Structures are given as structure tokens and as C-alpha cells.
Amino acid sequence: MATINDIPDVILSNIFASISDTRTRNSLSLVSRKFMLLDRATRVSLTLRGNARDLFMIPTCFRSVTDLDLSFLSPWGHSLLSSPLSDTDPQLLAHRLRVAFPAVTSLTVYARSPLTIKILVQQWPGLKRVKLVRWHQRLASWPIGEDFVCLLEQCENLNWLDLSTFYYWTEDLPPVLQACPKVSASLVHLNLLTTSFAEGFKSQEIKEITTACPNLKNFLVACNFDPRYIGFVGDETLLAVANNCPKLTLLHLADTSSLTDVRGDPDNEGFTSEDAMVTKGTLVEFFSGLPLLQELVLDVGRNVMDTSMALEMLNSKCKDLRVLKLGQFHGICLAIESQLDGIALCSGLEELSIKNCGDLTDMGLIAIGRGCSKLSRFEVQGCKRITEKGLRTMACLLRNTLVKVKISCCKNLDAAASLRSVEPIRDRIQWLHIDCVWNGWEEIGNSEQVGLSFWHNQVEEPSRLFSLMGSEYDHEMRRKKCKYSSDVSDGYILENNGFWCKKWDRLQYLSLWIDVGELLTPLPAAGLLNCPNLEEIRIKVEGDCRGRSKPSERAFGLSSLALYPRLSKMQLDCSETIGYALTAPSGQMDLSLWERFFLNGIGELRLSELDYWPPQDRDVNHRSLSLPAAGLLAECLELRKLFIHGTAHEHFMMFLLKIPNLRDVQLREDYYPAPENDMSTEMRAGSCSRFEAALNRRHILD
């Protein structure tokens, strides 16, 4: 009987080479020695961890690696080629890396100084793809363009550059691109969507960049659409981008105000006080000049009015468009009677995001559901006029395709209403974001009563909406409603084909926003009680702790997530929780007590991976793990990976050694501005190295 070992090595190598998922390859390499050697010979992508000073630890068995990531080496954020704990010659370390990975053409590196870039590009002059990472500030003493001169002068084959997580000055880049016309003309991907920018690229700088890079296919840039600022982006800039780079297939133009992951004012109706200098005629000409577009993001942060007619042109001018995100666009779908208009005519869309549209209504959502019948992902944020009925009807229309949904900052859609609105796809949805707004949550406790009353009161409402769009469509939807609504029991519509089912069978990823001081415990009662396949959850806690009274409950409610049996990964983001890091005024809690509130009960979860962003004190740029937080994290006995996006004292980190199988821990100050004082006991390279040495000395059972 033939086995997989009887397959010729050439065929096995091709099979291994076709597997791109890192975890799958890791598992395969453990099957046998033969599989391990095949994995090493065919692996093309590798992320290095460990301490940069340990030259003997650099692996030399991955000779086929072409994509190398050095941005997570320890100590994180310190200069790669000048470790303060070693006298190693930077040139020697770079040489050892080149010898170990001779085939590298794609490089990601944390470049704290231009010296790092200069030395590394000398080792791999044939680089085609480069991603630079830096959260520390750029020194004012460096000459303009110092970070990019060596890169563009020595890497003549460069065609892909990502600066989205690299802090620099906007005036650094255009002169270097103009001075290296050959490399600039070969660039096809340029990501300048840098989140740490205060104002973004000016109009003239965008014109200079696109003129120097006429062959761009992917262009992402942070800019400013506010007409009150000098160099704002308007009609002239949009037309320049379309004229200079007609081959674009992916374009992101985002106002810097939209890049911050902060929830907007819930009382804002979606309109800003100023209008962007973007007209309907310019939008039509802009779309006409980019016929190859497949993905478009226009998040302008200022009002763009009456856009329905312009958006209709997308369907005819950009026939390959599949992904669209619009921010602060109004009048995108008028939904007059049964006639489709505006964005609803973009029938090829597969992903759609609508943000801060002040006049989007339920009828508009229904029209989008009718016209954009291929949508697999839909996001709606800051749209105050839509309700549960419209979104639920849209979900019915898109039942066969929609698997990812985000509902955020919509006044009429609290947590329970958001969950009810996606009930038609409950058995299909895989990715979901909602806001944990518990309007009257104490009345939701009896889920049976709520489910029944909801259904009896609401099931007929969609038909009244449909009747406004024509009798033929109304008749069809009534027929479908009758088909799927055969039984009412236990608070849900139970159906043979599983249309209304109690379980969220395929939900794998859940994202939540919650205001500081609120509790997480009502989540199951709101409708997320049975999620058998939920593997990963992200929780964003936001708000100002200063001036708030002590929470009435002892714990935030993480222990309530223990009812999800497969939950193993968590991202707990408290980075936008503001408070007092040191001494709080009388009667208030400092951040250490708030961390105790947030993390209490986390040890009851069976987490294997955790990303944690501590709360911050903006006045002193302080994001640090507190003593209570370290003690509570140490109770997560099944953790394998722990990444703390902030700082911590060395003796607090030693608490984590109590976790028996913890293998990967790192402090990452990946926020701007990252702390510069490297002599602090919270971020010394020596402290990080001693902790890692203690971690690596332990015996791991598996």
C-alpha cells in the first residue's frame, strides 16, 4: 500500500512550496525528518525573533527564504546593528544575516536610524520589496531624505515600498524620488498611509510623488482634506493623481483624522462644519481616469455632498472595482421608489464600507442590498438614520454572500439591535464587529421573552418597506419570508434549512467596542450566547477615566467569555483609555486599579495568545504594565504568546515566568511617539535581555 512517503521528492517539494500558511508548515515540519528538510528547503518567508546580539542563534538552514522580517528582533525598537549589550561589529551582524539568507528580495526591518538601512541594503542590493518600521521620533539633525537616499540609490530593482508604520517627515520623500527617477519609475506599490502623521502629505507633495512614480498600481497616502489648512487636497489633487498614475488598481486617500482608531461623537449626525473641496464633476472625471481600479478608499473627513450621480459612474468607468470605502460622502443612494441609483448600481462590489453618511436611510440600505448582490463584507459606521429594520432586510437580501459585518457608532443600533439585525445570516457569518452599548440591557436577561416579542412585533415591518419599492418585489420577498418563517419556538425562528438558528455556527472572529466603565457581562444575554467556533476576539475599551467614579462591579467581565469553548486568541486594547498613571486625585482610581478592573477574571479563559495594550496617561506619554496587571496576566496558565504594547518594569515581567508553557513574550512600544529614554528601568535593553534569558532557560513540556 502506497503512502505519502512514496511520492517522489520533486512532487512533495511542489506540494510544500504551495503551502503559504506558516502554522500549517510548522505542523508539517514536525511529522518526520524528511518533512522537516523539505520545509526548510522550500520555505520562502520567515520572521526572525530572539536577541540580535546572539549571532550563533541565527538559523542557516533556510537558504530559500526570499521574504525576511527583522522587525520583531529583541530588544524591540532598539537599533538592530548597534546593540548596547554587545561589542559586535554592525557589519559583522549584517554579513551573518546575508550569509544565512542569501536569496532575500523582500525585507522588513525596524530602522531606528538611517545607519541600519544603509548597512542592510549593502548586503542585499537586489531588494525588490522593503517595509520600514519606526515609531520613535525622527531626529531633527538628520538631513532631509536621509532615511531613503541609500535605499533608492543602491536598490535599483526596488518596486514595492511600505512606510505605513515608519515615522518620518513628509518633506523627506519627494526630493529623493525625484533624484532617483529610474527607481521611482519602477515602483508599483507605495504605501504612505502613516498613522503617526499630524497633517499628512500636502497637495503639492502628492503631485510630485505621483509625477515621479507614473507606473504605480497601488498607492496609499495620508493627507488632509480640510480646506482651512495650507496644502489641502481637493479637486486639483484628485485629477493629478488620476492623470499621473492611470495604471492604479488600488488607491487609498485618507484624511489623517480618519486614521485614529477612536469612536466619534455619538450625537453627531454625520455632517461636519466644513465641506471638502471635492465636486461632483471632479469625481466623475477622477473615476473616468482610473479604469483599472479594483479597490478604492476615499475617507475625506469633510462633507462631500450629493454624490449619487458621481458614484453611478463607478459602475461604468471602473468595471473591475471590487472594494469600496467612502467616508463623509453624503447622498450616496437616494433610494427613490424602486429605482436603483448611486452606489446601488455598483453590482460588482464584494466589499463595501460606509462611514459617516448623514443621510443614509433604511431604504438606502435595502437598495444597496438589491443592487450589490455580491457583497461578502459590509461595514457601516457613524450612520445615524439607519435602524435595525433596514439592516436586517439588507442581511436577508445578501444571505447567500455576506459573511463579514461591522456595525459601529450608529445611534439606533445598540448591541442587541445589531445582533438582531444580522440574524438572517447568523448561521453563515464568520466575522462580526458591534458596539457594546447596553440600552436597557437589564431587560434583555430573559432571552426567550425578548426573542418572541421581537419577532411578533417586527417580522411584518420589512414587508411594509418592500411595498414602497414595487408590488413585484414585494410579492417575491413575501414569498421568501413565508418560506423561511415556518415555526416560532424558544425565542427564535427555527427552520429545517437553518435560516433562523440559535447558534452562531461559523462565527470565528468577534470585535467589540465598549465605553470605559461599562461591563462586558451582558454580551451573552444580548444574543451572543452560543458561539461554538469562536476562536478570536478583539475588545477595544475607550474613554476618559479621569473624573469617573469607581465601577460598581469588581470585574470588567472577561470571565463571561469562558462560555465560548474554542476561544484561544484575544486582543485587549485599552490604549485609548485615558487616566492618571501616577497619583490620582482624591476619590478617583489611578490606572493600576483600572487595569485590575479590566483584567480581573482573565485567568478563567483558556487563551493561548494575547495582545494587550495598557491604558495611558497622555500628559506624561506613559503606557506601562502595572503590578496588578502583571499578577493577573500570570494567572493565564495556558498562554503561549504574550505581546504587551507598552512598557513594563523588569520585576513585573518576572511574574510571567509562572506561566508554564509561555514561549514568546515581547514588549512593543508600537505607538507614536515611542519612549526615547532607554535608560528607564521600564525599557532598558538589559532588562529585556535578562527576562528573555530567564524565559528561555525554562523547560517547555512540548
Side-chain angles (χ1 to χ4, degrees), residues 350-501:
E350 297 174 3
E351 297 184 17
L352 175 62
S353 175
I354 302 173
K355 180 179 178 182
N356 296 334
C357 180
D359 53 6
L360 181 66
T361 63
D362 287 344
M363 297 304 296
L365 285 180
I366 295 170
I368 293 171
R370 292 171 54 206
C372 305
S373 57
K374 299 179 181 178
L375 284 182
S376 62
R377 181 181 186 125
F378 179 68
E379 299 181 0
V380 60
Q381 180 177 350
C383 299
K384 312 299 183 181
R385 300 182 62 184
I386 63 174
T387 69
E388 174 188 333
K389 292 182 288 187
L391 195 55
R392 184 186 179 97
T393 306
M394 182 186 188
C396 285
L397 295 167
L398 297 172
R399 169 170 164 75
N400 292 329
T401 59
L402 193 60
V403 294
K404 296 182 179 181
V405 177
K406 176 179 180 179
I407 308 167
S408 179
C409 206
C410 297
K411 184 169 61 175
N412 299 316
L413 291 167
D414 59 16
S418 297
L419 292 172
R420 290 195 299 265
S421 68
V422 295
E423 271 191 351
I425 56 172
R426 179 195 293 249
D427 60 330
R428 299 180 53 87
I429 193 167
Q430 301 171 12
W431 190 103
L432 176 64
H433 171 94
I434 62 171
D435 291 346
C436 295
V437 179
W438 315 120
N439 291 332
W441 70 268
E442 61 279 359
E443 300 175 3
I444 301 177
N446 188 341
S447 59
E448 295 183 1
Q449 181 179 356
V450 171
L452 285 169
S453 63
F454 163 74
W455 177 257
H456 290 311
N457 292 334
Q458 301 293 347
V459 72
E460 295 299 331
E461 295 297 333
S463 63
R464 289 202 287 270
L465 291 172
F466 295 138
S467 65
L468 300 175
M469 302 187 298
S471 57
E472 180 180 349
Y473 191 72
D474 176 64
H475 174 75
E476 175 67 13
M477 291 309 297
R478 285 179 183 274
R479 184 185 66 81
K480 290 183 178 180
K481 179 168 71 69
C482 292
K483 174 183 176 182
Y484 293 127
S485 306
S486 60
D487 186 27
V488 179
S489 176
D490 196 26
Y492 299 90
I493 302 305
L494 303 179
E495 178 58 31
N496 292 333
N497 63 7
F499 190 90
W500 308 119
C501 56

Side-chain angles (χ1 to χ4, degrees), residues 38 137 412 414 513 517 573 615:
L38 282 171
Q137 298 187 57
N412 299 316
D414 59 16
W513 176 93
D573 187 354

Side-chain angles (χ1 to χ4, degrees), residues 181-201:
K182 182 179 177 181
V183 175
S184 300
S186 66
L187 286 176
V188 296
H189 178 101
L190 185 59
N191 189 343
L192 308 178
L193 210 60
T194 310
T195 56
S196 55
F197 282 156
E199 296 182 6
F201 283 88

